Amino acid sequence: MAVEVLRFDNIGMRYGVGPEILRDVSFGLEQGSFHFLTGSSGAGKTTLLKLMYLSHRPSRGLVHVFGKDISVTPRASLPALRRRIGVVFQDFRLLDHLTAVQNVALPLVVSGLKDDKLDQHVRELLTWVGLADRLDAKPSTLSGGQQQRVAIARAVINRPRLLLADEPTGNVDNEIAVRLMYLFEELNKMGTTVVIATHNDDLISQFRHPVLQLSSGELIQLPPRWQRGR
Amino acid sequence: MVFLGSLTAAFAVIANHSLRSWDNQLTGRLTIQIPPLENGADSARLDQALETIRGVPGVATADVIEPATVSALLEPWIGTLPADADLPMPHLIDVAVNDPHDFKSTDLAEALATVVPGASVDDHRIFLVGLIKLAGTVRALAIITVVIIGMSAVAAVVFATRSGLAIHAPTIELLHLMGAPDAYIASLFQRHALLLGLRGSLLGALVAAVALASIARLATEIDTALLPDLAVRPLDVLIILAVPVTAVLLVMATARLTVLRSLVRMA
Ligand SMILES: Nc1ncnc2c1ncn2[C@@H]1O[C@H](COP(=O)(O)OP(=O)(O)OP(=O)(O)O)[C@@H](O)[C@H]1O
Ligand SMILES: [Mg+2]
């Protein structure tokens, strides 16, 4: 059986004393897999991703990341796991006092990898996503779609083992969306496990990856055969 | 805050010095005046007085000040006296006591009153004791002020650092989610706080130094013997410099703890 990068067992999640947002969610992601995550607005996609990138802990159930049971992993060991996860946040979370290049280089700095050669790599990546002329711009001076591409570049710069993208094509036109999807597929071919939360049905049908669908807090993993039939 | 703290520390230091120097002046010397007699039978009276004074407990020495010295002392006021002038000059006796803090000049006056009527005891200490008490009060006030300002400075620095960090909350969370260890993030913001703290502290210390220097200048112009000694010694400089240094350390520690606390709240 293939190695599982991620495993959720009977996960329940509520914020504080609020209602349960996720109920009995169980699934696994095989290494090198590529999934879409869909569901209507408020279904819990972002919440599910938060559990995956170790921002939150579930209210109940077990989360395994890279084979480690998070509930028994010492806090000091979590940063090393997080450094292998690239995240495109739905709200980008770019740092406004840094330039586009500096924002993208941030994961390298955190990993202690920053050097001039990688700086070149950062510029190439930003160029590839179409931001060649905005390399040294501050995020606040960029359009929503441009900020989103900076956020994507930042998420992939480290070649993470797991890439989680929350609506990564929500603010760009279809041409750029397809280009970004190629970027994710390229990464996926090199071994990165990818999960992309999206509302974009065109994208889902065009790229034909298995779909995890959230419906009122519960997960329905549609069989690949059904998807091909669409 | 550093400005206020430095000034207050400086005042406390000065009050402390005044107290010490006045205390040293309290050497325990008294002067006794014995009015001259018409009939010139002074020397017997003087001997009697000396004997009485020396008999008072606590007196170390008692000596007659030579008439020539007395004339010299009076010269500025009455001019040079002709050698044969037969002016009735008071006799002065210089008395040293063993323990200036313990000695009561009234004891001496009482003892003398019966033997040598008209003798008067000049105790410079009465005036000085008042000043010393004053300086003691000033010092206590200064210390209380330093403590109060110190506490409010600490509160202000902690509060400012924490609210300053509040705007960085998204950055802290992002670095955390990117897998930066807590200690790494904390030291990042500690360094950031060090730079900010240094800037503020240097500015405050500089303004305080200018203010202190001008006060010291004014004081030397007034130049009365009784004004506290404003000359600042190397040790005092250290005490006053301790204020900005403490402030910077406080800012750094607050930044570190605040960041660590916010991180611990994250999963
Ligand atoms: N921090 C929070 N505190 C309390 N409730 C929250 C919080 N974040 C999300 N929720 C609630 O959890 C539910 C799921 O939110 P979530 O953001 O996961 O949905 P989503 O599927 O990502 O929606 P969208 O497609 O609009 O991004 C919503 O009802 C939302 O109100
Ligand atoms: Mg969402």
Side-chain angles (χ1 to χ4, degrees):
Chain A
M1 193 187 131
V3 183
E4 273 184 344
V5 167
L6 194 100
R7 164 106 239 136
F8 275 36
D9 288 302
N10 299 310
I11 292 300
M13 176 65 187
R14 59 173 84 235
Y15 291 102
V17 293
E20 203 158 49
I21 307 297
L22 298 176
R23 270 189 304 278
D24 296 317
V25 172
S26 299
F27 69 97
L29 296 180
E30 283 175 11
Q31 181 161 351
S33 63
F34 195 126
H35 288 80
F36 286 115
L37 175 62
T38 63
S40 52
S41 180
K45 299 183 293 296
T46 299
T47 304
L48 189 67
L49 291 176
K50 280 181 190 167
L51 295 177
M52 294 189 195
Y53 58 73
L54 308 179
S55 163
H56 289 60
R57 285 168 186 269
S59 313
R60 57 189 174 83
L62 282 185
V63 173
H64 284 80
V65 176
F66 303 128
K68 293 219 159 62
D69 179 354
I70 295 309
S71 65
V72 298
T73 303
R75 187 185 157 77
S77 307
L78 294 179
L81 299 182
R82 291 194 183 100
R83 285 199 290 273
R84 293 195 260 164
I85 305 173
V87 185
V88 182
F89 300 98
Q90 193 167 10
D91 51 357
F92 315 147
R93 302 202 192 182
L94 300 175
L95 298 186
D96 242 342
H97 60 285
L98 302 181
T99 64
V101 166
Q102 289 168 330
N103 266 286
V104 174
L106 211 52
L108 302 172
V109 175
V110 166
S111 306
L113 293 173
K114 181 91 171 71
D115 69 21
D116 290 348
K117 201 169 131 249
L118 287 167
D119 203 61
Q120 190 51 41
H121 183 42
V122 168
R123 287 168 191 278
E124 279 168 13
L125 182 58
L126 276 171
T127 304
W128 201 87
V129 296
L131 293 174
D133 53 342
R134 307 308 312 268
L135 293 180
D136 296 310
K138 296 281 169 70
S140 56
T141 68
L142 297 175
S143 75
Q146 289 170 333
Q147 291 181 33
Q148 189 155 42
R149 283 177 275 161
V150 175
I152 290 169
R154 185 182 65 187
V156 303
I157 189 74
N158 242 358
R159 285 219 197 136
R161 279 185 63 190
L162 175 61
L163 178 76
L164 306 171
D166 202 349
E167 301 277 359
T169 56
N171 291 275
V172 294
D173 60 48
N174 214 45
E175 192 187 336
I176 293 177
V178 169
R179 194 176 171 83
L180 292 174
M181 281 302 297
Y182 285 138
L183 178 64
F184 296 140
E185 293 210 312
E186 208 55 45
L187 208 63
N188 180 244
K189 277 181 198 142
M190 292 189 292
T192 297
T193 307
V194 179
V195 177
I196 295 188
T198 184
H199 288 292
N200 190 334
D201 286 333
D202 290 345
L203 224 53
I204 294 175
S205 54
Q206 189 176 342
F207 284 89
R208 304 202 159 228
H209 293 296
V211 175
L212 300 164
Q213 182 162 0
L214 272 174
S215 173
S216 54
E218 286 179 72
L219 189 68
I220 319 154
Q221 182 163 17
L222 301 175
R225 186 168 38 81
W226 181 88
Q227 288 174 36
R228 246 175 246 120
R230 289 204 329 165
Chain B
M1 269 0 273
V2 166
F3 169 70
L4 280 181
S6 304
L7 278 191
T8 321
F11 287 135
V13 162
I14 287 166
N16 193 27
H17 280 315
S18 315
L19 184 66
R20 244 186 268 143
S21 69
W22 284 328
D23 212 30
N24 289 340
Q25 281 172 30
L26 191 62
T27 46
R29 297 205 95 85
L30 298 88
T31 309
I32 292 166
Q33 265 189 60
I34 294 173
L37 287 185
E38 302 281 321
N39 55 20
D42 285 353
S43 74
R45 245 166 63 109
L46 265 181
D47 288 343
Q48 244 184 322
L50 278 176
E51 207 176 308
T52 312
I53 294 163
R54 287 175 182 147
V56 173
V59 171
T61 60
D63 295 292
V64 176
I65 300 172
E66 291 304 315
T69 317
V70 177
S71 316
L73 283 173
L74 289 174
E75 200 190 297
W77 285 278
I78 57 176
T80 316
L81 294 169
D84 59 346
D86 195 14
L87 274 176
M89 297 265 277
H91 301 282
L92 299 180
I93 300 176
D94 180 37
V95 178
V97 300
N98 289 325
D99 184 353
H101 294 275
D102 234 22
F103 190 81
K104 282 203 187 68
S105 58
T106 46
D107 292 353
L108 190 58
E110 262 170 46
L112 271 176
T114 52
V115 184
V116 191
S120 71
V121 177
D122 277 353
D123 189 349
H124 328 290
R125 298 175 321 141
I126 292 171
F127 177 62
L128 277 177
V129 164
L131 272 186
I132 288 166
K133 273 193 188 138
L134 178 69
T137 315
V138 169
R139 179 166 64 168
L141 279 178
I143 288 171
I144 292 172
T145 317
V146 167
V147 169
I148 290 175
I149 291 192
M151 285 187 332
S152 37
V154 167
V157 164
V158 169
F159 184 77
T161 309
R162 285 171 61 172
S163 55
L165 281 174
I167 61 161
H168 295 300
T171 308
I172 294 172
E173 197 191 357
L174 179 72
L175 290 171
H176 173 71
L177 292 178
M178 281 183 169
D182 293 358
Y184 174 90
I185 303 175
S187 57
L188 213 63
F189 281 91
Q190 191 179 329
R191 211 160 24 183
H192 177 67
L194 167 69
L195 295 179
L196 284 182
L198 270 184
R199 216 165 53 187
S201 280
L202 284 182
L203 196 71
L206 206 71
V207 177
V210 170
L212 279 175
S214 349
I215 291 172
R217 267 271 299 272
L218 279 179
T220 41
E221 274 164 24
I222 296 167
D223 189 36
T224 69
L226 283 173
L227 209 74
D229 179 9
L230 286 165
V232 180
R233 280 147 252 251
L235 182 69
D236 307 340
V237 173
L238 282 185
I239 293 175
I240 296 165
L241 273 183
V243 174
V245 172
T246 311
V248 171
L249 291 178
L250 185 66
V251 169
M252 288 172 69
T254 309
R256 178 170 201 91
L257 288 179
T258 308
V259 170
L260 283 178
R261 270 229 316 256
S262 72
L263 283 168
V264 163
R265 273 197 295 268
M266 296 173 196

